[in-house]
Amino acid sequence: MDAAGKDWNSPLDPDDWAALRRQGHAMLDDMLDHLQGAAAGAGPVWRQPGAAIRDSIREALPATGAPLDQVYQQFRNSILPYSVGNTHPGFMGWVHGAGTPVGMLAEMLAAGLNANLGGRDHMPVELERQVVRWVAQLFSFPEEASGLFVTGSSMANLIGVLVARRRALGAEVRTQGVRDNAQTLVAYAVRGTHGCVSRGMDMAGLGSANLRLIDQQADGSVDVAAMRAAIEAHLRAGLRPFLIVGTAGSVDIGSIDDLHALADLAAEFGVHYHVDGAIGALCLLSPQLARKFAGIERADSIAMDFHKWMHVPYDAGFILVRSAQWQVETFADLGQSYLAREPGGLSAGSPWPCDLGPDLSRGFRALKVWMSLKVLGADKLGQAMAESCERAQYLAARIAAEPELELMAPVQLNIVCFRYRTPPDLSTDINARLLRDIQLSGIAAPSSTRLGGQYVIRAALLNHRTGRAKLDELVEFTLTTGRALLAAQA
């Protein structure tokens, strides 16, 4: 009771729960309508927010609150129509999951619980451990394996580097840092590996220059013989190889390294074997695709993203480690007395998730993955992945059948790289303008990359809502617009 003898109500809680329920129901209905409309391809993929829209959210720090319905209307007007567009079937720009209603509802439930999954003994942590067991089962990892939800594969790959560093340098690296005699630690990956691996070397204090990028073969996979030669040369020079990073789906073209051969190489030289599976690792859910990733089960650690091909809401990255001991030795023993573990009560249940990674404050990411697997099932999710790859082959065939278009890389998973044929001196300019026109049209939103120094259009077909009709529309628009741009240039 307060000084006036009244029950205290928090100023942060609503005065009218009935009104909140009405508004909440309207919000939920609107977002379900939004996803339903996205599934039907309603509206453009992407709208560029103009100056007026950007200005509409610029204001001083609010000192007093506004009615929820008023603030929500601002969201509907200034934010909802101008998102990146990855729920739309025409989104093909980057490897972004398309989301599902199940994942959205799970995210709402997780927010309602507001659980901190850094540790302590409660069921949200136990549920994350159950998902870890499922992932370990999928990759045929042993019972002593461990795993952790993180923001994304950038963080998961950093953890892979840190676990490898701890295995190579021992416990003292955590207190004494990387000493002069450890500066020669060298890691190896394919030249097309994601930039976050190099950043991980930087953040681990090992230096991005000590990630040696090995040449690719014609299909984009790493030249294993060249990697072996580099390791042998570095050993002769007094350097210390400590990590091999395999790629299970490259960011540019979706290429897959020979994961068995890399596992053999890592075993031969006694180094940690990590696989960046941000794009492709979860394809093990698909019997049609799993064979492409043979050997991934031999990795010491694997990075992956549930917010890509499993379509849970952002963010839901994950790191799987063959031995929980390696992960605990890399991150545990924080030393703060207020985090002391007890044999019972709320402080039981050690080791906690914060002993397996850098974060103490962690959201309940596991719920949306658990609920998606429970409701949709692994078989249906795997089938959707296979269908994405089938649609990529369809688009590749459409491109190959058009003399004005050129397929720029073999299609191994779901990524199709192509360009409009032009005289060499016009290729970059016209294809860059063509890509911009495609995006501004609202029909589709591919992205770009460079292959062999050439500018190409890159369509990443991840969205489970994308059908062949949308791909036909993309090809026809590309042809029509490409002709017009070439004629104008001439």
Side-chain angles (χ1 to χ4, degrees):
M1 298 234 178
D2 63 12
K6 296 180 180 179
D7 288 337
W8 174 253
N9 289 316
S10 168
L12 300 182
D13 282 336
D15 294 326
D16 187 346
W17 283 90
L20 182 66
R21 289 178 188 276
R22 288 194 298 273
Q23 188 63 63
H25 290 159
M27 291 178 177
L28 181 58
D29 285 344
D30 283 350
M31 293 313 298
L32 289 172
D33 288 345
H34 172 72
L35 288 181
Q36 187 175 9
V45 180
W46 172 75
R47 294 180 178 94
Q48 185 170 23
I53 291 297
R54 297 178 196 273
D55 288 343
S56 70
I57 63 168
R58 291 177 179 152
E59 58 182 325
L61 177 68
T64 58
L68 177 60
D69 58 349
Q70 179 181 323
V71 176
Y72 175 59
Q73 192 60 44
Q74 188 177 16
F75 165 82
R76 292 188 64 186
N77 294 338
S78 300
I79 299 172
L80 181 61
Y82 300 98
S83 66
V84 73
N86 51 305
T87 58
H88 193 286
F91 186 86
M92 308 169 189
W94 295 267
V95 187
H96 290 187
T100 67
V102 172
M104 185 189 79
L105 294 172
E107 194 81 314
M108 178 188 70
L109 297 177
L113 282 180
N114 195 29
N116 183 348
L117 271 76
R120 301 176 179 82
D121 192 15
H122 55 118
M123 281 305 294
V125 169
E126 196 59 41
L127 191 71
E128 179 164 336
R129 290 173 178 147
Q130 174 56 51
V131 177
V132 170
R133 287 192 287 269
W134 281 345
V135 179
Q137 176 187 344
L138 178 65
F139 290 94
S140 301
F141 267 40
E143 289 187 7
E144 60 267 24
S146 61
L148 188 73
F149 277 92
V150 292
T151 52
S153 281
S154 293
M155 178 58 75
N157 283 318
L158 170 61
I159 290 176
V161 172
L162 292 173
V163 170
R165 186 189 72 167
R166 166 64 176 77
R167 292 187 70 197
L169 299 181
E172 60 271 17
V173 71
R174 297 190 59 193
T175 54
Q176 304 302 316
V178 180
R179 295 169 177 264
D180 290 343
N181 62 0
Q183 295 295 328
T184 55
L185 285 182
V186 184
Y188 306 85
V190 68
R191 190 167 298 282
T193 197
H194 195 280
C196 69
V197 178
S198 174
R199 186 184 299 176
M201 290 285 288
D202 169 16
M203 295 173 70
L206 302 174
S208 59
N210 287 324
L211 174 66
R212 306 303 169 90
L213 300 178
I214 308 299
D215 287 341
Q216 297 166 289
Q217 302 186 102
D219 64 356
S221 66
V222 68
D223 184 335
V224 178
M227 185 179 287
R228 171 187 292 278
I231 292 173
E232 291 173 342
H234 292 152
L235 285 170
R236 290 193 297 270
L239 304 180
R240 185 178 177 186
F242 84 110
L243 172 65
I244 288 174
V245 179
T247 296
S250 69
V251 67
D252 281 331
I253 64 173
S255 60
I256 304 163
D257 288 340
D258 185 338
L259 301 176
H260 268 309
L262 293 182
D264 290 340
L265 201 61
E268 178 181 348
F269 289 100
V271 303
H272 187 91
Y273 178 33
H274 175 78
V275 173
D276 176 10
I279 291 178
L282 287 171
C283 288
L284 264 66
L285 291 169
S286 166
Q288 301 97 310
L289 301 176
R291 58 180 178 79
K292 293 176 177 286
F293 301 89
I296 194 171
E297 72 281 357
R298 298 175 62 191
D300 292 317
S301 53
I302 306 172
M304 65 197 79
D305 284 325
F306 291 103
H307 55 234
K308 288 188 169 72
W309 240 328
M310 251 189 68
H311 302 290
V312 304
Y314 276 86
D315 51 43
F318 191 85
I319 177 74
L320 180 68
V321 180
R322 180 167 295 276
S323 169
Q325 181 180 352
W326 298 345
Q327 205 168 355
V328 169
E329 288 175 347
T330 304
F331 292 104
D333 300 324
L334 296 175
Q336 286 94 347
S337 59
Y338 77 97
L339 292 175
R341 315 303 158 82
E342 304 291 348
L346 189 55
S347 294
S350 183
W352 293 347
C354 64
D355 298 324
L356 306 176
D359 294 325
L360 179 56
S361 298
R362 304 176 63 249
F364 194 4
R365 297 183 180 101
L367 182 62
K368 54 197 173 189
V369 175
W370 177 82
M371 190 168 286
S372 294
L373 285 166
K374 291 280 287 183
V375 174
L376 301 174
D379 291 348
K380 184 179 290 187
L381 290 164
Q383 183 59 36
M385 295 173 189
E387 290 173 359
S388 291
C389 294
E390 182 276 329
R391 289 190 291 272
Q393 293 296 334
Y394 174 80
L395 177 58
R398 281 295 321 267
I399 291 167
E402 297 291 346
E404 295 166 83
L405 303 179
E406 181 180 8
L407 194 64
M408 299 300 292
V411 177
Q412 301 175 63
L413 282 175
N414 63 318
I415 298 176
V416 183
C417 293
F418 66 98
R419 66 175 179 171
Y420 188 84
R421 291 183 189 270
T422 70
D425 60 322
L426 299 178
S427 179
T428 296
D429 180 56
I430 285 184
N431 278 283
R433 292 166 62 190
L434 174 58
L435 174 63
R436 184 181 66 245
D437 287 349
I438 294 170
Q439 293 174 347
L440 290 172
S441 74
I443 290 172
S447 63
S448 68
T449 190
R450 287 188 176 270
L451 299 177
Q454 299 185 78
Y455 184 98
V456 303
I457 298 171
R458 173 182 173 275
L461 304 181
L462 197 79
N463 195 317
H464 53 86
R465 304 178 180 112
T466 305
R468 292 188 176 193
K470 176 56 67 176
L471 303 179
D472 291 336
E473 191 177 10
L474 169 65
V475 170
E476 294 305 320
F477 185 89
T478 300
L479 290 169
T480 301
T481 307
R483 291 167 191 154
L485 290 171
L486 187 57
Q489 187 72 32

